[in-house]
Amino acid sequence: PEITGAAKWARQMITLSSGLRVEAQLVGIDGSVGLIAGTDGTISRALRFTFAGDRIARIEAIADPAHLRQLGTCVFHT
């Protein structure tokens, strides 16, 4: 299901992540800014962000293991 609105999305993410110990890292995903998350070095989720100006306009959540293996990711170095 699609979640619209920043406040609703934030509440949903807080609910889903409650009690989890997850590592996350900012990455480039197929030319877009994204975030990968997982535990023990295994990626379990990826989020790909689409921006409109200086705001996030869309977040695509990717959890399918086959899709995660196919993602072209590169880590941003700061």
Side-chain angles (χ1 to χ4, degrees), residues 14-34:
I14 291 169
T15 299
L16 291 174
S17 64
S18 180
L20 295 178
R21 293 184 52 95
V22 176
E23 300 171 37
Q25 186 168 5
L26 182 66
V27 296
I29 299 177
D30 297 331
S32 298
V33 175

Side-chain angles (χ1 to χ4, degrees), residues 3-48:
I3 301 170
T4 59
K8 286 181 184 178
W9 198 89
R11 280 193 298 275
Q12 182 73 16
M13 289 300 101
I14 291 169
T15 299
L16 291 174
S17 64
S18 180
L20 295 178
R21 293 184 52 95
V22 176
E23 300 171 37
Q25 186 168 5
L26 182 66
V27 296
I29 299 177
D30 297 331
S32 298
V33 175
L35 183 78
I36 54 173
T39 57
D40 300 323
T42 302
I43 298 172
S44 60
R45 299 282 188 276
L47 301 176
R48 183 176 10 216

